[in-house]
Amino acid sequence: MNTLRAKLAVLLTVVIIAVVCILTSILIYLFDPPNEQDAISPLVDQIELLTQVRQIAPKLVIVQEAAAGGEVEANLTAWLRDALMARGAPRDVIVSRKNDLPLLSIPVDQGWIVTQIPDLPPGGGVFHLLLIWLALTTLGTMAVALFFANRMVKPLVLLERAIETVGPDAVLPELAVTGPAEVRVAAKALNSLSSRLKGAMESRMRLVAAAGHDLRTPITRMRLRAEFVEDEEDREMWLKDIDELDRIADSAILLVREESGKSAPAPIRLDILISDLVDELRTLSYDVTLTNSAAGTALANRTGLSRAFRNLIINASTHGKRARVAVQSTPKEIVVVIDDDGPGIPPDLIGQVFEPFFRADRARMKQFDGAGLGLTIAKEIVQRAGGSIKIENGSLRGLIQTVRLPACSAI
């Protein structure tokens, strides 16, 4: 009932039924259809006429041995007997319906005179017919309302389905321009929007890649010139700044490669991948501990996924002093939790952690190597594999990085 389609269908149904009810009421008022009591007086005249004809010309009136049978109309029978009693000609007449046909049975000395009642309203009265008429109108109106409501919201349904088909690379597949005019217009607009967005993204990536590549030449020249600085302390500071510029350029180019990469995914034992990464980083003197390793297989690019988890674990062990990694597995997804003992991130800044070049504490930039693109690249890789990353502060201290990837069995 909360959908626009249902609301439109209900609105159309209510409006149409309201109009039909008003018009029907006006027609009933203008034509004033007869009720059952209005037929009593003509029936009394008919009974008197038949009994008189029976007395004058017995052969003209057929007499049956039994009454008509069927379902007896108790009210009409009582009203008719009272009317005959009032005229001084009491008779135990019977009004009944047989196969929905109103019949009048008049007792005579040798049996029953059975005749049809032409002016009697249908069974249940006018209001019974009116209810049937309104029920049929409601059913027909609901069918028509659902048809038109579905047609009216088709562009919105197309938009909803188009948004649902957007892949991890944020590319909207081209929609078929078919169907009603409104749907075709919506499909053309979405295709045009998708084309412009794709062009803008590719242009941005080319710009970043070109800038990162063009930085290499001046960085190399600066490195050569720095080597000729006589003061050793100044030379080390120059070389350190140049190394940082080199890392920024490399990270920018790497980010472009990840966003534009189309490597085919393959099944990966995530628990083995994480275990190998932990062993590798420990040999590089990072404080990393694998606390849990549940078997689980994900569908992703191995090189990219390894780079993503390496960035996350290094981020935890560097900024959080030490990192603890746990791999949990269910039939539907694999969850990798990385927590540390660091100071965490201020709550008002935690929503910016995936932005390029983000630093929670600008004063600590010189203490740690890196360009500030590690989390951005990790998020891009995980999303491309159909997963998600969530970063939050721990209950006491530290940061908790949670990566969720769909298991192969759930894909």
Side-chain angles (χ1 to χ4, degrees), residues 359-406:
R359 294 284 188 176
D361 186 359
R362 296 290 176 180
R364 300 171 62 194
M365 288 182 63
K366 299 297 182 181
Q367 300 178 20
F368 303 103
D369 294 336
L373 288 173
L375 292 180
T376 306
I377 295 173
K379 181 181 179 182
E380 178 67 27
I381 295 171
V382 171
Q383 286 186 338
R384 191 177 296 278
S388 64
I389 298 181
K390 181 180 180 182
I391 295 183
E392 57 187 344
N393 288 313
S395 57
L396 298 178
R397 60 176 303 173
L399 207 63
I400 300 176
Q401 303 175 91
T402 305
V403 180
R404 297 180 181 274
L405 287 168

Side-chain angles (χ1 to χ4, degrees), residues 58 158 284 300:
L158 178 66
L284 297 176

Side-chain angles (χ1 to χ4, degrees), residues 38-161:
D38 294 336
I40 296 299
S41 180
L43 283 178
V44 172
D45 296 337
Q46 184 179 359
I47 292 171
E48 292 182 346
L49 179 60
L50 287 174
T51 54
Q52 291 176 3
V53 171
R54 169 65 183 169
Q55 293 175 358
I56 297 173
K59 293 184 180 181
L60 296 179
V61 180
I62 300 176
V63 178
Q64 299 181 3
E65 296 180 357
E71 184 179 356
V72 177
E73 293 282 350
N75 292 335
L76 278 174
T77 300
W79 293 338
L80 192 55
R81 289 179 181 180
D82 292 341
L84 290 170
M85 180 70 72
R87 289 199 182 185
R91 287 182 180 274
D92 294 332
V93 296
I94 300 174
V95 180
S96 60
R97 290 184 184 271
K98 191 173 184 180
N99 298 327
D100 205 27
L101 184 67
L103 299 173
L104 173 63
S105 301
I106 307 170
V108 294
D109 51 357
Q110 296 180 357
W112 295 82
I113 300 174
V114 179
T115 182
Q116 184 178 349
I117 307 175
D119 299 330
L120 193 65
V126 175
F127 290 102
H128 181 69
L129 285 180
L130 181 61
L131 290 176
I132 296 176
W133 158 251
L134 290 179
L136 294 176
T137 303
T138 301
L139 292 176
T141 301
M142 288 181 64
V144 174
L146 286 173
F147 173 77
F148 281 102
N150 185 65
R151 188 181 180 89
M152 291 169 68
V153 301
K154 241 182 178 181
L156 297 179
V157 174
L158 178 66
L159 178 61
E160 179 185 359
R161 291 177 179 173

Side-chain angles (χ1 to χ4, degrees), residues 6 31 59 61 75 101 131 152 155-156 171 176 180 207 225 238 259-260 280 299 313 319 378 391 405 408:
F31 291 100
K59 293 184 180 181
V61 180
N75 292 335
L101 184 67
L131 290 176
M152 291 169 68
L156 297 179
V171 174
L207 178 62
R225 291 173 183 172
W238 275 99
E259 291 198 2
S260 59
E280 174 191 338
L299 193 64
I313 297 173
H319 299 279
I391 295 183
L405 287 168
C408 277

Side-chain angles (χ1 to χ4, degrees), residues 226-239:
E227 294 291 343
F228 292 98
V229 176
E230 296 180 358
D231 188 278
E232 185 176 351
E233 185 177 351
D234 287 345
R235 184 171 61 250
E236 289 180 358
M237 291 181 61
W238 275 99
L239 291 175

